[in-house]
């Protein structure tokens, strides 16, 4: 992550007057830089956007960043809630889900997330919830895990390619956990 200061922008603006400022995906503005852009009515072109050449104001970039932060936090909270519910039914599942709940922060901070496969054994088919699954003791956990997948899928459109790939891995791990819980619900073991 690279922080752009007010002095950086002033230097660029002196060389060539800016009407737009291009913000790379790993760049962040300091408060002084943000205020300078606002004061000089310089538009920010956000490279995080999936749409090319989208011109936004600094406030728009801040709003998108805040929304992204909140969605990562929501994903973390959904997984933590699922882990707490799992604690009442299956301690091993609870521990696996708590491990998964640590991943959103790592993904958001662009940390390498390559150990997801170790958390939950892989399954090949996509899990589908039905009424029978939801009426088991694991039902509330299953719903929370599915909600987590929905949040993670929503985040994919707002993140960098590497973060999106990590979110795909997380979604697959959540799906694997759902498979394990459904299997436990069918054979009666906890």
């Amino acid at each position: 992550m690279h922080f752009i200061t007010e002095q950086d922008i002033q230097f660029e603006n002196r060389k060539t007057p800016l009407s737009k400022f291009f913000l790379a995906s790993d760049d962040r503005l300091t408060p002084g830089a943000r205020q300078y852009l606002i004061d000089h009515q310089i538009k920010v072109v956000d490279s995080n956007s999936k749409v090319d050449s989208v011109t936004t104001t600094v406030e728009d970039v801040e709003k998108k960043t805040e929304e992204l932060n909140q969605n990562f936090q929501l994903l973390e909270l959904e997984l933590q809630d699922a882990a707490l519910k799992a604690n009442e039914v299956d301690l091993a599942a609870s521990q696996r889900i708590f491990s998964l709940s640590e991943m959103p922060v790592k993904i958001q901070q662009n940390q390498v997330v390559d150990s997801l496969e170790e958390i939950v054994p892989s399954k090949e088919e996509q899990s589908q919830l039905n009424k029978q699954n939801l009426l088991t003791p694991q039902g509330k956990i299953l719903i929370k895990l599915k909600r987590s997948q929905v949040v993670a899928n929503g985040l994919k459109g707002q993140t960098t390619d590497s973060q999106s790939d990590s979110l795909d891995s997380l979604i697959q791990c959540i799906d694997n956990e759902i498979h394990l819980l459904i299997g436990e619900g069918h054979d009666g073991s906890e």
Side-chain angles (χ1 to χ4, degrees):
M1 187 177 309
H2 176 255
F3 287 94
I4 298 172
T5 66
E6 178 179 0
Q7 290 77 21
D8 296 333
I9 297 172
Q10 287 174 343
F11 178 75
E12 291 295 321
N13 199 25
R14 275 189 227 117
K15 287 191 326 188
T16 307
L18 300 172
S19 61
K20 296 179 184 176
F21 184 79
F22 295 91
L23 189 63
S25 62
D26 60 340
D27 288 345
R28 299 292 181 265
L29 296 171
T30 64
R34 188 175 300 115
Q35 190 61 48
Y36 183 87
L37 290 169
I38 291 168
D39 291 346
H40 291 84
Q41 298 178 345
I42 299 171
K43 300 284 184 185
V44 175
V45 178
D46 182 12
S47 68
N48 285 332
S49 175
K50 295 289 184 185
V51 179
D52 293 335
S53 302
V54 173
T55 304
T56 59
T57 64
V58 174
E59 291 88 358
D60 292 338
V61 172
E62 289 175 341
K63 184 177 177 181
K64 286 181 186 177
T65 302
E66 181 61 27
E67 182 180 323
L68 185 63
N69 291 340
Q70 289 173 351
N71 286 333
F72 270 109
Q73 186 177 17
L74 178 61
L75 177 57
E76 179 185 19
L77 291 171
E78 288 288 349
L79 288 167
Q80 288 172 344
D81 193 24
L84 288 173
K85 289 180 181 351
N87 194 45
E88 300 168 6
V89 177
D90 182 339
L91 183 59
S94 177
Q95 291 171 339
R96 289 190 305 265
I97 298 169
F98 266 122
S99 294
L100 290 175
S101 75
E102 297 169 359
M103 296 301 112
V105 171
K106 291 180 180 180
I107 293 170
Q108 183 181 19
Q109 296 173 348
N110 289 313
Q111 294 178 6
V112 176
V113 181
D114 56 358
S115 61
L116 287 176
E117 292 78 27
E118 298 170 8
I119 297 172
V120 180
S122 64
K123 299 282 182 184
E124 294 176 10
E125 64 278 356
Q126 190 76 349
S127 67
Q128 295 297 320
L129 298 184
N130 58 39
K131 187 175 179 180
Q132 182 182 5
N133 300 131
L134 296 177
L135 293 175
T136 66
Q138 294 88 347
K140 290 180 181 180
I141 306 163
L142 295 170
I143 290 171
K144 280 292 179 185
L145 290 173
K146 274 300 194 182
R147 284 179 58 133
S148 298
Q149 285 182 314
V150 169
V151 173
N153 269 316
L155 277 167
K156 285 175 39 179
Q158 305 171 7
T159 58
T160 63
D161 289 340
S162 65
Q163 288 174 320
S164 183
D165 291 343
S166 294
L167 285 166
D168 279 334
S169 297
L170 178 59
I171 290 166
Q172 182 59 46
C173 288
I174 294 169
D175 202 55
N176 296 340
E177 186 61 40
I178 289 170
H179 271 296
L180 290 173
L181 288 167
I182 289 173
E184 291 170 2
H186 285 305
D187 65 18
S189 65
E190 291 184 24

